[in-house]
Every structure is written in C-alpha cells, then in structure tokens.
Amino acid sequence: MMNTDQQIHAKIKKAQTIAIAAHIRPDGDAIGSVYGLGIALQEAGKSVQYLFPDGIATRFHFISGAKNFTKKLETHVDLTITVDCADLERCGGVFGDRKIDINLDHHKTNTHFAEINLVAPECAATAELLTRQMPAWGLSISQQSATALMCGILTDSQGFATNNTTSATLRYTSVLMDAGANLNDIYDKTLTEKDMKSVRLWGCGLSKIKFEGGVVWTTITQADRKETNYSGNDDADLVNFMANIADGYVYLLFNEQQNGETKISWRSKPDIDVSVLAEEYGGGGHPSAAGAEIKDSINRVEARVLERTKLFIEEYFEHVINPS
Ligand SMILES: [Mn+2]
C-alpha cells in the first residue's frame, strides 16, 4: 500500500501532459501554487497547461509564465491537478467532465473531490504545503518556482501576520529564500504596492463602510468597478485591509459580480470561526478568512447575511460567557 506522497510521485512520474488549476478569482496563493508546482513539473520534463478562467491580475505578472494560461482545458492531458481549491465548483468548470486526479489544498472545508486528496489545514498557504511536499514527489524547487511559491505564502499569510502562520511557515519560506526567491521584492510586489485603480476601488468601498453589532462591512458594486476602471472580479484585497480595523469582530465585504451574483468575504478576529458561516451559504474557507457566493442581488444578500452574521457574533459571545 502506497502512502499519499508515493501515490502522487507515481502519478507524476507516469504523466507526460499535466493540467493545473486553482480557484476562480485567483489570489496570490492560487496563482503562486499553480506556477510553483507547474514550473517544477516543466523543469522535470513535463508539458503543463495552466488553467485560469478569470485570468491573472497584472500585479502577479512578475511570476514566470504568468501570462501563459488558458481559460479551460483545451486538449487531453494525462493528469489533472487542483491547488488551493476547496471544492470542485470553485474551479469554475475548467476541467469540464474530466475527473480530477490530485487535489492539493489547505482549506479545512475541502470536500476531497479528487482521486488523491492531500489537504493540510495546518499550512498557512497551499504554497507552504507544496514547498514541504514537492521534494517527496521527486520535484526540485528552482529560483522561478520558489518565487511563485513565496508569493503564495506571503499573500495568504498577509506577510506572516495571520494566526495560522507557524514556525514551519517561516522554515519553508527560508527554504524558498535559499532557492533564490527575493523576500523583500516579492513582499513589495504582492503586499505593499497598490496600483491607482485598486486604490480608487478601495476608496469606493471605504467611503461606504459601516459598523454595527460588532460587524464592519461594505460593498463593491459593478458601478464602482466602472467608475474606477478596475478590471478584476475581485476586491483588490480590500477585505484584508478592513480586517486591520480595531473596531469590530467580523468583517464583511459584499462584491457584486458581472453575472448578477454576489460574492461574500468574511474575515474575523482570532477564535471566531467564520468558515462555519460561509458553509451555511454553500461556501467555505479558513476560520479567520472565508467566502461564499449567492445567486441573488447585492442588496438582498447584504441585508440577509448581515443579519445572520450579527446573530452569529451574539451567539459567540453568549457561548463565551456561558459555555455549555
Ligand atoms: Mn490559500
């Protein structure tokens, strides 16, 4: 009986063509993990297809090959891999009917949808999991692969600031530094620098911010995107900035999508597990950072989810005062 690492190693060894995808509206960990793994596979002689249905924001173009992707699977491949993807729906249908062979992730809500599933909630980023495991799969980490992986660790840990950052996160980051990744440069590019369009989108969101019942929340609408010329479907990381606000316990961002659906992002103070809330709405994520998507207008979703979140905070504090 082979263990998971041996199974993954065998699958990779046998495959010549491999497709890798992450989740829709890809963040730095999704993109960094796809390319960190994909570059190492290419360097091992494999042919790799990179799948991004929503494209890749320009701030990630410093990653080698980040302009080289397709929106869905275009040809037959021997092996399919998802990274940083908690459930199959989050892949955005890039694989069509093709089954998923390997699922590599760190979300505790992962639904184990593939033939081989390696889910490590103890990792601050999927890129941390990859840095830890890739040697066991016969893959070495070059400077270009390390640069992509460091992007994943830095963005998901918000610069080693999230409460799931561990000493192991720092150890694997030092492995990436030793492989040639430039910590300072990647930190600047992914966490510090903001382009004007992103800052203007933040301005729209921040001008509407509200605080009530322990919740800090705001909205980003299609009109905001149009006004600021912001092209992504994401929130330009605004919700992560909101999580720095000292007032409040839970932070909520409602993001109106082009298809009329509403994407919800939760952030929370440590010990308040908002992934439970996200799951109620068919989403998932981490205890302090979770999301869901609802097929309804932003105004209705805002009213409904806000009420539920306030109640959730009330229940949380009742439980803290009167543990049953
Ligand atoms: Mn992640």
Side-chain angles (χ1 to χ4, degrees), residues 29 84 106 156:
D29 191 27
D84 202 43
H106 71 130
D156 253 26

Side-chain angles (χ1 to χ4, degrees), residues 23 27-30 33 83-85 105-107 123-127 152 155-157 286:
H23 54 79
D27 57 14
D29 191 27
S33 294
V83 293
D84 202 43
C85 199
D105 189 27
H106 71 130
H107 294 92
C123 291
T126 297
T155 52
D156 253 26
S157 73
H286 308 291

Side-chain angles (χ1 to χ4, degrees), residues 89-314:
E89 208 171 289
R90 293 264 295 152
C91 281
V94 286
F95 289 111
D97 294 337
R98 173 70 159 84
K99 72 173 173 63
I100 312 302
D101 298 308
I102 303 174
N103 161 21
L104 307 167
D105 189 27
H106 71 130
H107 294 92
K108 72 166 194 144
T109 56
N110 191 290
T111 58
H112 292 244
F113 50 83
E115 185 191 337
I116 302 171
N117 302 281
L118 181 55
V119 179
E122 73 278 10
C123 291
T126 297
E128 179 186 330
L129 168 70
L130 292 175
T131 307
R132 190 179 81 188
Q133 302 305 127
M134 277 164 56
W137 307 335
L139 298 173
S140 50
I141 299 175
S142 67
Q143 183 180 357
Q144 292 189 328
S145 165
T147 298
L149 293 168
M150 191 180 279
C151 165
I153 293 180
L154 282 177
T155 52
D156 253 26
S157 73
Q158 290 292 300
F160 310 120
T162 55
N163 63 353
N164 60 358
T165 301
T166 64
S167 60
T169 313
L170 299 176
R171 270 198 299 282
Y172 290 113
T173 302
S174 72
V175 167
L176 299 176
M177 286 178 87
D178 288 340
N182 185 331
L183 175 69
N184 168 263
D185 184 50
I186 301 167
Y187 197 107
D188 264 2
K189 287 191 166 108
T190 57
L191 294 169
T192 314
E193 277 178 16
K194 297 268 172 256
D195 60 38
M196 280 309 296
K197 287 175 186 172
S198 300
V199 172
R200 289 197 175 109
L201 192 75
W202 279 34
C204 286
L206 291 175
S207 70
K208 293 181 276 184
I209 204 160
K210 296 188 189 78
F211 174 43
E212 213 177 270
V215 187
V216 175
W217 82 97
T218 196
T219 57
I220 288 180
T221 62
Q222 287 299 317
D224 294 333
R225 281 204 174 74
K226 214 170 156 192
E227 188 190 319
T228 57
N229 237 335
Y230 187 83
S231 57
N233 288 327
D234 62 332
D235 67 350
D237 274 339
L238 174 59
V239 72
N240 289 327
F241 173 75
M242 286 165 60
N244 297 325
I245 298 170
D247 303 274
Y249 302 101
V250 175
Y251 309 87
L252 257 173
L253 189 138
F254 300 95
N255 192 342
E256 185 179 32
Q257 300 293 294
Q258 256 165 359
N259 57 10
E261 298 184 6
T262 304
K263 153 90 177 135
I264 314 160
S265 300
W266 285 268
R267 296 293 182 272
S268 62
K269 292 265 164 70
D271 301 329
I272 303 181
D273 183 355
V274 286
S275 72
V276 178
L277 270 178
E279 278 183 295
E280 280 181 25
Y281 293 100
H286 308 291
S288 298
E293 201 155 343
I294 299 185
K295 288 188 173 69
D296 202 353
S297 77
I298 188 162
N299 294 333
R300 278 201 295 264
V301 172
E302 180 182 355
R304 184 149 51 109
V305 173
L306 193 61
E307 197 181 345
R308 175 67 191 106
T309 303
K310 284 178 186 168
L311 190 66
F312 180 81
I313 295 174
E314 255 175 60

